[in-house]
Amino acid sequence: MFITFEGLDFCGKSTQVKLLRNYLVRQGKDVKLIREPGGTKISEKVREILLDKNNLEMSPETELLLFTASRIQLVKEVIIPNLKKDVFVISDRFHHSSIAYQGFGRGLDLDFVESLQSFAIQGALPDITFLLDISVEEVNKRKEEFEHQNLDRIELSKNRFYENVREGYLYLEKKELYIKRIDGSLPIDTIHRQIISEIKKFKTNADYLNE
Ligand code: TYD
């Protein structure tokens, strides 16, 4: 099973990814955890270029192609081989991030961004995507708590950008049935329980289909 997590910066994905991984391991499953951009030798190098605060002159087009290049390497080297071995693959961000951030956030041509993403994922569509939805006000609140820590190039973006990214995620949620939106302002535990319940539902459906 291939599960991805999406949402604005500071939406709490990383916490939920870890809780889900621990849950599945307790159930005796093999789990491979990955994060984007990154996850392979080449993709980690691309990550450094993408998030470097000094690379302020990076064009949106370059940004899109670098995120996508990093992704293709991850799909081929890690995601597809693990799914073939029946491992649960959980990814902290995947192709929807490029549609929301580069398509809606940076305003690049949506048709092009979407077809580039279907080329990039090589057929490896997620079974379930959890969209942890928080408002831009909530992003700002959480950002302030991190004020004295190091923010990366993209986390330094402004309100308008995040409004557009969020609009992108809501557009995707309407389009794809496998995207489950969860209110990211709920307590950590409540969100975790909702995630487990969606995964159990998915298994039931799959068993039913196999009968
Ligand atoms: P990261 O430190 O992984 O942030 P987070 O923990 O919030 O996921 O940095 C990823 C940043 O890159 C984040 O601001 C979102 C952005 N991003 C894109 O703009 N496009 C993409 O395709 C991906 C994968 C990430």
Side-chain angles (χ1 to χ4, degrees):
M1 194 171 176
F2 182 26
I3 303 163
T4 64
F5 282 78
E6 294 283 353
L8 297 180
D9 299 303
F10 309 104
C11 70
K13 283 179 293 95
S14 313
T15 306
Q16 293 301 331
V17 163
K18 282 181 207 128
L19 287 174
L20 177 60
R21 192 256 324 264
N22 295 347
Y23 169 83
L24 290 171
V25 168
R26 283 199 306 273
Q27 303 285 309
K29 312 284 185 205
D30 277 341
V31 182
K32 177 75 187 166
L33 202 63
I34 51 191
R35 65 148 188 203
E36 277 221 22
T40 70
K41 184 164 59 75
I42 295 173
S43 312
E44 289 293 330
K45 286 191 176 161
V46 178
R47 178 186 176 90
E48 280 173 32
I49 303 173
L50 276 164
L51 301 183
D52 188 339
K53 265 188 300 204
N54 298 315
N55 288 340
L56 285 175
E57 73 278 28
M58 186 182 298
S59 78
E61 291 81 359
T62 304
E63 187 180 87
L64 170 68
L65 294 176
L66 287 177
F67 274 118
T68 309
S70 153
R71 177 164 306 126
I72 297 177
Q73 202 61 34
L74 185 67
V75 166
K76 292 199 149 179
E77 261 189 56
V78 180
I79 297 178
I80 292 179
N82 274 288
L83 290 174
K84 280 189 178 157
K85 287 188 290 183
D86 273 341
V87 171
F88 273 73
V89 178
I90 308 178
S91 188
D92 189 338
R93 299 196 179 282
F94 195 49
H95 68 308
H96 298 118
S97 282
S98 286
I99 299 172
Y101 278 76
Q102 279 65 54
F104 283 77
R106 303 284 190 225
L108 294 178
D109 182 82
L110 192 58
D111 286 341
F112 176 70
V113 175
E114 289 192 300
S115 43
L116 184 66
Q117 293 318 303
S118 46
F119 166 72
I121 68 175
Q122 312 265 314
L125 259 193
D127 293 305
I128 301 187
T129 296
F130 292 108
L131 169 58
L132 300 191
D133 184 36
I134 57 172
S135 65
V136 176
E137 293 77 63
E138 187 64 28
V139 172
N140 287 330
K141 232 171 66 194
R142 296 183 186 186
K143 217 188 210 178
E144 272 168 30
E145 289 166 21
F146 279 84
E147 206 170 29
H148 300 297
Q149 298 189 25
N150 259 345
L151 297 181
D152 65 47
R153 192 177 55 84
I154 293 172
E155 284 165 350
L156 290 168
S157 305
K158 301 275 181 308
N159 280 1
R160 185 72 226 155
F161 174 76
Y162 280 120
E163 293 288 2
N164 292 339
V165 174
R166 179 155 186 249
E167 192 193 315
Y169 276 130
L170 298 180
Y171 153 87
L172 287 166
E173 185 217 353
K174 284 206 194 81
K175 216 171 124 179
E176 308 287 5
L177 277 177
Y178 65 88
I179 300 183
K180 312 289 176 196
R181 176 153 67 112
I182 295 181
D183 179 351
S185 62
L186 292 170
I188 292 177
D189 242 36
T190 314
I191 298 178
H192 178 59
R193 269 186 271 116
Q194 289 187 9
I195 288 172
I196 301 296
S197 131
E198 285 296 342
I199 286 175
K200 283 186 176 157
K201 257 193 258 168
F202 178 85
K203 281 204 328 214
T204 318
N205 289 341
D207 291 341
Y208 171 75
L209 288 173
N210 288 335
E211 268 171 19

